Amino acid sequence: MIESGAFTEPGWELYRTFLAVAREGSLSGAARALGLTQPTAGRHVDALEQALGLSLFIRTQQGLSPTEAALSLRPFAESLEATSAALLRAASSQGEGVRGTVRITASEVVAVEVLPPILADLHAAYPELTIELVPSNRLEDLLRREADIAVRMQPPTQGVLVARQLGGIELGAFAHRCYLERRGVPATLGDLAGHTLIGYDKENAFLRGVRAQLPWIQRNRFALRTDSDLAAIAALRAGFGIGFCQVGLAQRNPDLVRLFVDEVSITLDTWLAMHEDLRDSPRCRAVFDALAVGLQRYINGN
């Protein structure tokens, strides 16, 4: 810990252990996650509580429960964690050429279904590059350096980001050929009342916008409800029913048949963004450019 007048400033390792305990709910879980012994994790928590003059956890039958003080401190500790990780990524890139670590975040579907071949070509071109890929539908905060580069389905709102609009990814309604052979092909949107539908569980702002465009999309009509786009696509491929899929992905599977081409078409505005401080970083510039080219090819159907 660092002495600052009469106050002893806690070291980062104490905050790291605090975060691990908050996430794992126990000292033993935190110790496993960090590669520490349980007594060491306990000493870290005790030292942080003493330095801050706060009680951070309460023992319960389920484990350690964070106090109100801990909940208020957690976002700042997470910010420290993100900054520390960004520092290590920057340090790993020092030297000539494109090397080091770049952290990318993208939606589950894009991360799993679209990016892997792009990243494979990228790594073949720059073998000293390490990629950290975060499949998440949550908008990781680039300003807090939770990621270096983000693929987003909406325009970034922070002004200190380098952003490039890549185009629109089209969503359509699809069903597997085996489902249509079993249940028949719906001729009109009204015929969907007699079909098995795949859809969302919890509504969000994007889905409210979709419902405004396609009012027949209602949660109570779905035979399978999931907020995982990957699970929905897997069910679609398995012939469970009718659901939504990116047109580019569906075109890779000849057994997926598009329905209502004129009536059901949703465009996902696709952006690539990174913090402006990284624009001169060789590693980030190379990854940003490769993602832009690869994603635009995907959007254009190439």
Side-chain angles (χ1 to χ4, degrees), residues 177 250-257:
R177 196 175 304 278
Q251 288 175 340
R252 299 175 181 176
N253 187 337
D255 289 325
L256 291 182
V257 179

Side-chain angles (χ1 to χ4, degrees), residues 143-203:
L143 299 185
R144 295 200 315 176
R145 300 299 176 84
E146 293 180 11
D148 297 316
I149 299 174
V151 183
R152 288 177 167 166
M153 300 306 173
Q154 63 185 54
T157 56
Q158 298 102 331
V160 294
L161 300 180
V162 177
R164 183 183 301 179
Q165 187 176 14
L166 302 178
I169 294 177
E170 185 183 12
L171 290 178
F174 289 87
H176 195 279
R177 196 175 304 278
C178 70
Y179 170 84
L180 297 175
E181 291 173 353
R182 185 172 72 249
R183 298 289 299 275
V185 180
T188 68
L189 290 175
D191 292 341
L192 290 176
H195 279 269
T196 301
L197 303 183
I198 302 166
Y200 62 85
D201 185 20
K202 299 181 181 66
E203 191 174 89

Side-chain angles (χ1 to χ4, degrees), residues 173 245 284:
C245 184
C284 291

Side-chain angles (χ1 to χ4, degrees), residues 1 10 33 49-50 63-64 89 137 144 156 176 196 227 253 276:
M1 291 188 287
E49 289 182 327
Q50 183 176 359
L64 293 180
R89 292 197 298 272
N137 292 330
R144 295 200 315 176
H176 195 279
T196 301
D227 293 324
N253 187 337
E276 65 177 5

Side-chain angles (χ1 to χ4, degrees), residues 43-265:
R43 285 195 295 271
H44 283 182
V45 172
D46 291 342
L48 185 60
E49 289 182 327
Q50 183 176 359
L52 299 177
L54 298 170
S55 177
L56 298 175
F57 296 99
I58 300 172
R59 292 190 177 275
T60 69
Q61 291 183 342
Q62 290 72 38
L64 293 180
S65 178
T67 63
E68 184 176 348
L71 293 175
S72 67
L73 293 178
R74 180 169 175 167
F76 300 100
E78 289 174 336
S79 181
L80 286 174
E81 179 186 49
T83 300
S84 174
L87 183 150
L88 292 176
R89 292 197 298 272
S92 71
S93 69
Q94 298 308 302
E96 295 183 359
V98 176
R99 60 192 303 273
T101 303
V102 178
R103 189 173 180 87
I104 304 167
T105 180
S107 70
E108 288 183 341
V109 171
V110 170
V112 173
E113 298 280 356
V114 180
L115 292 189
I118 300 173
L119 298 180
D121 290 343
L122 175 67
H123 188 262
Y126 303 108
E128 292 188 85
L129 198 60
T130 299
I131 300 296
E132 294 178 352
L133 181 60
V134 185
S136 172
N137 292 330
R138 185 177 71 88
L139 295 181
E140 269 74 7
D141 193 338
L142 296 181
L143 299 185
R144 295 200 315 176
R145 300 299 176 84
E146 293 180 11
D148 297 316
I149 299 174
V151 183
R152 288 177 167 166
M153 300 306 173
Q154 63 185 54
T157 56
Q158 298 102 331
V160 294
L161 300 180
V162 177
R164 183 183 301 179
Q165 187 176 14
L166 302 178
I169 294 177
E170 185 183 12
L171 290 178
F174 289 87
H176 195 279
R177 196 175 304 278
C178 70
Y179 170 84
L180 297 175
E181 291 173 353
R182 185 172 72 249
R183 298 289 299 275
V185 180
T188 68
L189 290 175
D191 292 341
L192 290 176
H195 279 269
T196 301
L197 303 183
I198 302 166
Y200 62 85
D201 185 20
K202 299 181 181 66
E203 191 174 89
N204 55 34
F206 169 74
L207 291 170
R208 284 191 290 273
V210 171
R211 281 205 300 110
Q213 180 182 346
L214 304 170
W216 54 270
I217 298 177
Q218 300 290 339
R219 182 180 183 276
N220 60 4
R221 301 183 64 179
F222 300 140
L224 174 62
R225 301 167 185 159
T226 177
D227 293 324
S228 168
D229 295 331
L230 290 177
I233 291 175
L236 186 68
R237 289 169 173 161
F240 185 96
I242 298 171
F244 289 95
C245 184
Q246 293 183 16
V247 173
L249 292 184
Q251 288 175 340
R252 299 175 181 176
N253 187 337
D255 289 325
L256 291 182
V257 179
R258 187 170 185 183
L259 307 171
F260 315 115
V261 176
D262 296 327
E263 298 95 330
V264 182
S265 178

Side-chain angles (χ1 to χ4, degrees), residues 114 118 164-167 270 289-302:
V114 180
I118 300 173
R164 183 183 301 179
Q165 187 176 14
L166 302 178
T270 308
D289 292 342
L291 290 176
V293 171
L295 286 168
Q296 284 178 327
R297 285 178 179 167
Y298 169 73
I299 290 170
N300 295 331
N302 299 326

